[in-house]
Amino acid sequence: MVLACAASLGACGDDGGSAADTTMDPSMDHDAMSVNMGDASATPAAEAGGELVSGTFELLDTRPPGLDDVSGSADLARTDAGTTVTVQLEGLRPGDPYIAHVHFGACSEALGHYQFEVGGEQQPPNEVHLAFEADAEGSGFMSAENDRTVGDDAQSVVVHPKDLMDNKIACADLG
């Protein structure tokens, strides 16, 4: 459920993903159809065990018009089995697709996507992405799992509209 971004300061590419399962929607622009972008029925990070870090989403100046009431939280669990990330948001545009992803550093640093192998693939499994669609009330929820454990430099989660990758809505510092 999240996408590929350049490793540079905050530049994001466009991929897209399915909201309800671990495979990409074939109608979306992506060449790897089995990329894990989340699973809404997966165990949430807060229940995964291991080391849990959490944060509250704060609005960013780059958010598109009409998304001034977005709020929510992000949880990241580091376990022996890998990493689980869960996002919960409210105030989104109903029915719109969104992407969230783990970033290097804090929100104030505006660093790029966290990568297990820096300079490698800009998609899962080298990055942790979450793709989801807001429900009829404007709420969004997704959990994504990766069999690798992120390091301590994975410190934030960013969310943005799927079709407006440079228009980041909010960021949550983890910890």
Side-chain angles (χ1 to χ4, degrees), residues 45-80:
E47 300 172 18
E51 175 195 358
L52 179 68
V53 290
S54 300
T56 301
F57 281 104
E58 299 290 331
L59 293 174
L60 299 172
D61 292 339
T62 56
R63 69 187 177 277
L67 292 172
D68 297 333
D69 295 323
V70 173
S71 63
S73 63
D75 296 318
L76 183 147
R78 293 176 179 97
T79 70
D80 292 340

mmCIF file of all heavy atoms in Angstrom, residues 45-80:
data_model
loop_
_atom_site.group_PDB
_atom_site.id
_atom_site.type_symbol
_atom_site.label_atom_id
_atom_site.label_comp_id
_atom_site.label_asym_id
_atom_site.label_seq_id
_atom_site.Cartn_x
_atom_site.Cartn_y
_atom_site.Cartn_z
ATOM 1 N N ALA A 45 0.278 -3.881 14.194
ATOM 2 C CA ALA A 45 1.600 -3.762 14.826
ATOM 3 C C ALA A 45 1.502 -3.756 16.352
ATOM 4 O O ALA A 45 2.342 -4.349 17.030
ATOM 5 C CB ALA A 45 2.300 -2.496 14.331
ATOM 6 N N ALA A 46 0.477 -3.114 16.901
ATOM 7 C CA ALA A 46 0.328 -3.035 18.362
ATOM 8 C C ALA A 46 0.111 -4.398 19.001
ATOM 9 O O ALA A 46 0.323 -4.553 20.205
ATOM 10 C CB ALA A 46 -0.823 -2.096 18.721
ATOM 11 N N GLU A 47 -0.289 -5.398 18.197
ATOM 12 C CA GLU A 47 -0.523 -6.747 18.704
ATOM 13 C C GLU A 47 0.541 -7.737 18.237
ATOM 14 O O GLU A 47 0.443 -8.925 18.535
ATOM 15 C CB GLU A 47 -1.904 -7.225 18.260
ATOM 16 C CG GLU A 47 -3.039 -6.350 18.762
ATOM 17 C CD GLU A 47 -4.372 -6.728 18.153
ATOM 18 O OE1 GLU A 47 -4.512 -7.847 17.614
ATOM 19 O OE2 GLU A 47 -5.280 -5.883 18.189
ATOM 20 N N ALA A 48 1.542 -7.281 17.510
ATOM 21 C CA ALA A 48 2.532 -8.172 16.903
ATOM 22 C C ALA A 48 3.612 -8.629 17.877
ATOM 23 O O ALA A 48 4.347 -9.559 17.589
ATOM 24 C CB ALA A 48 3.184 -7.497 15.697
ATOM 25 N N GLY A 49 3.727 -7.974 19.019
ATOM 26 C CA GLY A 49 4.790 -8.303 19.961
ATOM 27 C C GLY A 49 6.061 -7.562 19.610
ATOM 28 O O GLY A 49 6.084 -6.717 18.718
ATOM 29 N N GLY A 50 7.134 -7.865 20.298
ATOM 30 C CA GLY A 50 8.411 -7.217 20.035
ATOM 31 C C GLY A 50 8.448 -5.781 20.514
ATOM 32 O O GLY A 50 7.677 -5.367 21.387
ATOM 33 N N GLU A 51 9.333 -4.991 19.919
ATOM 34 C CA GLU A 51 9.490 -3.580 20.273
ATOM 35 C C GLU A 51 8.489 -2.752 19.473
ATOM 36 O O GLU A 51 8.496 -2.771 18.247
ATOM 37 C CB GLU A 51 10.905 -3.107 19.955
ATOM 38 C CG GLU A 51 11.095 -1.625 20.189
ATOM 39 C CD GLU A 51 12.359 -1.071 19.541
ATOM 40 O OE1 GLU A 51 13.132 -1.844 18.933
ATOM 41 O OE2 GLU A 51 12.551 0.145 19.637
ATOM 42 N N LEU A 52 7.623 -2.011 20.164
ATOM 43 C CA LEU A 52 6.609 -1.197 19.507
ATOM 44 C C LEU A 52 6.948 0.277 19.666
ATOM 45 O O LEU A 52 7.232 0.746 20.767
ATOM 46 C CB LEU A 52 5.229 -1.463 20.117
ATOM 47 C CG LEU A 52 4.068 -0.650 19.540
ATOM 48 C CD1 LEU A 52 3.790 -1.077 18.096
ATOM 49 C CD2 LEU A 52 2.827 -0.823 20.405
ATOM 50 N N VAL A 53 6.924 1.011 18.549
ATOM 51 C CA VAL A 53 7.051 2.468 18.568
ATOM 52 C C VAL A 53 5.829 3.017 17.848
ATOM 53 O O VAL A 53 5.352 2.440 16.879
ATOM 54 C CB VAL A 53 8.366 2.963 17.921
ATOM 55 C CG1 VAL A 53 9.563 2.604 18.799
ATOM 56 C CG2 VAL A 53 8.558 2.400 16.525
ATOM 57 N N SER A 54 5.311 4.138 18.353
ATOM 58 C CA SER A 54 4.082 4.703 17.822
ATOM 59 C C SER A 54 4.213 6.203 17.660
ATOM 60 O O SER A 54 5.064 6.833 18.293
ATOM 61 C CB SER A 54 2.913 4.408 18.777
ATOM 62 O OG SER A 54 2.736 3.026 18.932
ATOM 63 N N GLY A 55 3.349 6.759 16.837
ATOM 64 C CA GLY A 55 3.327 8.202 16.652
ATOM 65 C C GLY A 55 1.975 8.674 16.163
ATOM 66 O O GLY A 55 1.170 7.895 15.657
ATOM 67 N N THR A 56 1.743 9.964 16.333
ATOM 68 C CA THR A 56 0.512 10.605 15.887
ATOM 69 C C THR A 56 0.808 11.405 14.629
ATOM 70 O O THR A 56 1.800 12.128 14.569
ATOM 71 C CB THR A 56 -0.014 11.556 16.987
ATOM 72 O OG1 THR A 56 -0.246 10.784 18.167
ATOM 73 C CG2 THR A 56 -1.297 12.240 16.560
ATOM 74 N N PHE A 57 -0.054 11.269 13.626
ATOM 75 C CA PHE A 57 0.144 12.008 12.385
ATOM 76 C C PHE A 57 -0.063 13.501 12.609
ATOM 77 O O PHE A 57 -1.023 13.919 13.251
ATOM 78 C CB PHE A 57 -0.802 11.519 11.279
ATOM 79 C CG PHE A 57 -0.347 10.255 10.618
ATOM 80 C CD1 PHE A 57 -0.946 9.042 10.916
ATOM 81 C CD2 PHE A 57 0.687 10.283 9.697
ATOM 82 C CE1 PHE A 57 -0.525 7.878 10.305
ATOM 83 C CE2 PHE A 57 1.130 9.124 9.084
ATOM 84 C CZ PHE A 57 0.520 7.918 9.391
ATOM 85 N N GLU A 58 0.863 14.295 12.080
ATOM 86 C CA GLU A 58 0.788 15.756 12.095
ATOM 87 C C GLU A 58 0.662 16.213 10.650
ATOM 88 O O GLU A 58 1.363 15.718 9.763
ATOM 89 C CB GLU A 58 2.048 16.357 12.724
ATOM 90 C CG GLU A 58 2.293 15.940 14.165
ATOM 91 C CD GLU A 58 1.300 16.529 15.145
ATOM 92 O OE1 GLU A 58 0.789 17.633 14.869
ATOM 93 O OE2 GLU A 58 1.036 15.883 16.178
ATOM 94 N N LEU A 59 -0.242 17.162 10.410
ATOM 95 C CA LEU A 59 -0.455 17.671 9.055
ATOM 96 C C LEU A 59 0.798 18.355 8.514
ATOM 97 O O LEU A 59 1.540 18.990 9.265
ATOM 98 C CB LEU A 59 -1.614 18.660 9.041
ATOM 99 C CG LEU A 59 -2.993 18.068 9.327
ATOM 100 C CD1 LEU A 59 -4.036 19.176 9.423
ATOM 101 C CD2 LEU A 59 -3.390 17.058 8.261
ATOM 102 N N LEU A 60 0.998 18.223 7.207
ATOM 103 C CA LEU A 60 2.116 18.860 6.519
ATOM 104 C C LEU A 60 1.600 19.964 5.602
ATOM 105 O O LEU A 60 0.483 19.890 5.087
ATOM 106 C CB LEU A 60 2.895 17.824 5.696
ATOM 107 C CG LEU A 60 3.517 16.681 6.512
ATOM 108 C CD1 LEU A 60 4.089 15.622 5.583
ATOM 109 C CD2 LEU A 60 4.588 17.212 7.446
ATOM 110 N N ASP A 61 2.417 20.972 5.378
ATOM 111 C CA ASP A 61 2.044 22.090 4.507
ATOM 112 C C ASP A 61 1.851 21.660 3.059
ATOM 113 O O ASP A 61 1.231 22.388 2.283
ATOM 114 C CB ASP A 61 3.098 23.198 4.580
ATOM 115 C CG ASP A 61 3.133 23.875 5.936
ATOM 116 O OD1 ASP A 61 2.136 23.795 6.682
ATOM 117 O OD2 ASP A 61 4.177 24.483 6.256
ATOM 118 N N THR A 62 2.377 20.509 2.686
ATOM 119 C CA THR A 62 2.276 20.028 1.309
ATOM 120 C C THR A 62 0.964 19.300 1.024
ATOM 121 O O THR A 62 0.753 18.849 -0.103
ATOM 122 C CB THR A 62 3.444 19.077 0.998
ATOM 123 O OG1 THR A 62 3.440 18.015 1.958
ATOM 124 C CG2 THR A 62 4.774 19.807 1.032
ATOM 125 N N ARG A 63 0.087 19.193 2.011
ATOM 126 C CA ARG A 63 -1.160 18.445 1.816
ATOM 127 C C ARG A 63 -2.061 19.150 0.790
ATOM 128 O O ARG A 63 -2.088 20.371 0.703
ATOM 129 C CB ARG A 63 -1.900 18.263 3.135
ATOM 130 C CG ARG A 63 -2.482 19.525 3.709
ATOM 131 C CD ARG A 63 -3.063 19.290 5.099
ATOM 132 N NE ARG A 63 -3.552 20.514 5.684
ATOM 133 C CZ ARG A 63 -2.822 21.409 6.324
ATOM 134 N NH1 ARG A 63 -1.527 21.215 6.468
ATOM 135 N NH2 ARG A 63 -3.367 22.495 6.833
ATOM 136 N N PRO A 64 -2.799 18.349 0.023
ATOM 137 C CA PRO A 64 -3.728 18.927 -0.944
ATOM 138 C C PRO A 64 -4.866 19.667 -0.230
ATOM 139 O O PRO A 64 -5.197 19.351 0.913
ATOM 140 C CB PRO A 64 -4.275 17.715 -1.696
ATOM 141 C CG PRO A 64 -3.331 16.606 -1.413
ATOM 142 C CD PRO A 64 -2.752 16.898 -0.071
ATOM 143 N N PRO A 65 -5.493 20.623 -0.906
ATOM 144 C CA PRO A 65 -6.640 21.322 -0.321
ATOM 145 C C PRO A 65 -7.734 20.327 0.074
ATOM 146 O O PRO A 65 -7.931 19.303 -0.589
ATOM 147 C CB PRO A 65 -7.124 22.228 -1.458
ATOM 148 C CG PRO A 65 -5.947 22.384 -2.358
ATOM 149 C CD PRO A 65 -5.171 21.108 -2.247
ATOM 150 N N GLY A 66 -8.436 20.634 1.149
ATOM 151 C CA GLY A 66 -9.543 19.798 1.595
ATOM 152 C C GLY A 66 -9.156 18.690 2.544
ATOM 153 O O GLY A 66 -10.009 17.913 2.968
ATOM 154 N N LEU A 67 -7.886 18.581 2.899
ATOM 155 C CA LEU A 67 -7.444 17.526 3.819
ATOM 156 C C LEU A 67 -6.903 18.140 5.107
ATOM 157 O O LEU A 67 -5.909 17.680 5.669
ATOM 158 C CB LEU A 67 -6.396 16.640 3.133
ATOM 159 C CG LEU A 67 -6.943 15.795 1.986
ATOM 160 C CD1 LEU A 67 -5.818 15.090 1.231
ATOM 161 C CD2 LEU A 67 -7.965 14.776 2.489
ATOM 162 N N ASP A 68 -7.596 19.160 5.600
ATOM 163 C CA ASP A 68 -7.148 19.881 6.799
ATOM 164 C C ASP A 68 -7.573 19.221 8.099
ATOM 165 O O ASP A 68 -7.149 19.643 9.177
ATOM 166 C CB ASP A 68 -7.676 21.318 6.775
ATOM 167 C CG ASP A 68 -7.121 22.104 5.596
ATOM 168 O OD1 ASP A 68 -6.022 21.779 5.116
ATOM 169 O OD2 ASP A 68 -7.822 23.039 5.144
ATOM 170 N N ASP A 69 -8.421 18.189 8.024
ATOM 171 C CA ASP A 69 -8.910 17.533 9.240
ATOM 172 C C ASP A 69 -8.381 16.114 9.397
ATOM 173 O O ASP A 69 -8.908 15.334 10.187
ATOM 174 C CB ASP A 69 -10.442 17.518 9.241
ATOM 175 C CG ASP A 69 -11.021 18.920 9.322
ATOM 176 O OD1 ASP A 69 -10.436 19.762 10.024
ATOM 177 O OD2 ASP A 69 -12.049 19.166 8.659
ATOM 178 N N VAL A 70 -7.341 15.755 8.645
ATOM 179 C CA VAL A 70 -6.780 14.411 8.728
ATOM 180 C C VAL A 70 -6.063 14.244 10.066
ATOM 181 O O VAL A 70 -5.316 15.121 10.510
ATOM 182 C CB VAL A 70 -5.802 14.144 7.560
ATOM 183 C CG1 VAL A 70 -5.076 12.813 7.746
ATOM 184 C CG2 VAL A 70 -6.546 14.176 6.233
ATOM 185 N N SER A 71 -6.326 13.119 10.707
ATOM 186 C CA SER A 71 -5.657 12.776 11.959
ATOM 187 C C SER A 71 -5.511 11.263 12.012
ATOM 188 O O SER A 71 -6.126 10.544 11.224
ATOM 189 C CB SER A 71 -6.463 13.284 13.163
ATOM 190 O OG SER A 71 -7.730 12.652 13.198
ATOM 191 N N GLY A 72 -4.690 10.799 12.922
ATOM 192 C CA GLY A 72 -4.532 9.363 13.059
ATOM 193 C C GLY A 72 -3.218 8.996 13.704
ATOM 194 O O GLY A 72 -2.516 9.846 14.268
ATOM 195 N N SER A 73 -2.882 7.712 13.605
ATOM 196 C CA SER A 73 -1.671 7.206 14.258
ATOM 197 C C SER A 73 -0.990 6.158 13.391
ATOM 198 O O SER A 73 -1.588 5.575 12.489
ATOM 199 C CB SER A 73 -2.036 6.601 15.618
ATOM 200 O OG SER A 73 -2.909 5.494 15.428
ATOM 201 N N ALA A 74 0.282 5.942 13.721
ATOM 202 C CA ALA A 74 1.081 4.899 13.069
ATOM 203 C C ALA A 74 1.783 4.101 14.156
ATOM 204 O O ALA A 74 2.246 4.672 15.153
ATOM 205 C CB ALA A 74 2.115 5.517 12.127
ATOM 206 N N ASP A 75 1.831 2.803 13.985
ATOM 207 C CA ASP A 75 2.541 1.902 14.902
ATOM 208 C C ASP A 75 3.526 1.081 14.090
ATOM 209 O O ASP A 75 3.209 0.660 12.967
ATOM 210 C CB ASP A 75 1.575 0.937 15.592
ATOM 211 C CG ASP A 75 0.579 1.625 16.500
ATOM 212 O OD1 ASP A 75 0.981 2.537 17.230
ATOM 213 O OD2 ASP A 75 -0.603 1.227 16.471
ATOM 214 N N LEU A 76 4.695 0.840 14.653
ATOM 215 C CA LEU A 76 5.714 0.002 14.019
ATOM 216 C C LEU A 76 6.218 -0.970 15.067
ATOM 217 O O LEU A 76 6.634 -0.551 16.153
ATOM 218 C CB LEU A 76 6.856 0.853 13.476
ATOM 219 C CG LEU A 76 7.955 0.113 12.722
ATOM 220 C CD1 LEU A 76 8.527 1.002 11.618
ATOM 221 C CD2 LEU A 76 9.070 -0.336 13.645
ATOM 222 N N ALA A 77 6.169 -2.270 14.752
ATOM 223 C CA ALA A 77 6.666 -3.308 15.652
ATOM 224 C C ALA A 77 7.866 -3.997 15.018
ATOM 225 O O ALA A 77 7.800 -4.428 13.864
ATOM 226 C CB ALA A 77 5.575 -4.326 15.948
ATOM 227 N N ARG A 78 8.948 -4.066 15.789
ATOM 228 C CA ARG A 78 10.141 -4.817 15.376
ATOM 229 C C ARG A 78 10.116 -6.128 16.161
ATOM 230 O O ARG A 78 10.139 -6.118 17.384
ATOM 231 C CB ARG A 78 11.413 -4.044 15.718
ATOM 232 C CG ARG A 78 11.608 -2.769 14.943
ATOM 233 C CD ARG A 78 12.859 -2.033 15.446
ATOM 234 N NE ARG A 78 13.101 -0.810 14.716
ATOM 235 C CZ ARG A 78 12.719 0.400 15.127
ATOM 236 N NH1 ARG A 78 12.076 0.532 16.274
ATOM 237 N NH2 ARG A 78 12.974 1.460 14.399
ATOM 238 N N THR A 79 10.081 -7.236 15.432
ATOM 239 C CA THR A 79 10.042 -8.545 16.078
ATOM 240 C C THR A 79 11.125 -9.440 15.488
ATOM 241 O O THR A 79 11.774 -9.067 14.507
ATOM 242 C CB THR A 79 8.668 -9.218 15.865
ATOM 243 O OG1 THR A 79 8.537 -9.587 14.490
ATOM 244 C CG2 THR A 79 7.518 -8.308 16.282
ATOM 245 N N ASP A 80 11.276 -10.618 16.066
ATOM 246 C CA ASP A 80 12.209 -11.592 15.507
ATOM 247 C C ASP A 80 11.788 -12.018 14.103
ATOM 248 O O ASP A 80 12.616 -12.426 13.302
ATOM 249 C CB ASP A 80 12.307 -12.820 16.414
ATOM 250 C CG ASP A 80 12.982 -12.509 17.734
ATOM 251 O OD1 ASP A 80 13.703 -11.486 17.825
ATOM 252 O OD2 ASP A 80 12.781 -13.282 18.698
#
